[in-house]
Amino acid sequence: MKYIIYAFNYLTLSKTLRYIDDRWLRENSLILYTNSVSPFPHRIKEKFNSKVIDFNDIEYADVPIVRKNSLAVNCFWEVLIEFSKEDEEVNLKRKKERGKRRNLVIYRDNQIIECSLIDRFHKKYQNGKIILMEEGSGLYLLDYYIDYTPNAIDVIRRQLTKLKYKLYGLTPSSSPGKPFGYNPYINRVVGSKVNGLKERYKGTGVIVEQQIDIFTPEFSRTFVENVIDHEIVPVEYDYVFLTQPVIELIGGTEKEIIDIYESFLLWFFGHIGKGKRLIIKPHPRDDYDYSKYTNEKVALCDKEMNNECLSVFWKYPREVTFCSSACINSKSNQTGVYMYKLLKNNLVGDTVDKQYVNDNCIFVCESEDQLEKILNEA
């Protein structure tokens, strides 16, 4: 059975490698990778002996995004077809239906590259299976919190965009404005919190499967040291600050945004309790310089690393963030903390913590006094 997996960052890549080793087998798996956020780790081919096709977005920096996506999909599709030829020969010999032994694995089902691969795969291999793996919390977003009611202009714009995509051989999402998991061609959904998912897919024929334990200490160390080529120094932290791109959090001019953000950070880092330690884990798209806040209490992590791999070596610290959905899938036994209500001119809204199907109760700070208490808890 063949598995063709599309990954696009270190989180999806690490999950892919874990499943390849545990379930899919290396000789049966092909990884398609774009490095728009996290650069491709070339050691993977040597250390994991994995078949990987890396589409380097950086090489096409000056190419329009639609054209770039088209180049990526065409590149991946040619490799996918070649990788599948062996199966076609085996199936013909065994008189089996074409495509019965193929699986396309994706981590999002409403983005342009994934939708295009899904559409082509479904048309060519109608008996193949399309598997949606949990990438983050997008799979657990509740329908009724998606505020999407297109007006006449939106409808016209969508039709024009759809036509443009079609000219480039691309397929837009069939369910715009919906969470992950609503593409009609999905056969199986794999997640870490399956109770809510089982209710969503009841009677649809979609199989819901419990995700295996991905980030064991052994696998996490192998991935970080042998694939990403980073040295691990186990240090226990009380808190991890999961950042986000500041422009997505605060409204105003560039100067106003920075002034508000830096004012909050100065207060935040200045109120970490005596004897407490915190590590900053920047978001991959967050370009703010946090190094000026490091001291004996505050450490800084490489932003390209994923928190899921490193938490085990930090003893699963309490996650503190403005509204990062990473808290939804946390393995920490401590309640995640949201701070977005403490930001002036925040763009987040008042219900972000209630938008997900999740088993974790997230605490939303209403005041600086509440946050200061959390940062000083024994």
Side-chain angles (χ1 to χ4, degrees), residues 312-323:
V312 61
F313 304 108
W314 299 336
K315 305 298 182 184
Y316 298 112
R318 189 170 193 177
E319 293 166 339
V320 182
T321 179
F322 291 109
C323 58

Side-chain angles (χ1 to χ4, degrees), residues 145-159:
Y145 277 105
I146 303 295
D147 184 15
Y148 185 80
T149 305
N151 55 35
I153 295 177
D154 290 333
V155 172
I156 294 172
R157 186 182 292 117
R158 189 193 303 171
Q159 291 300 319

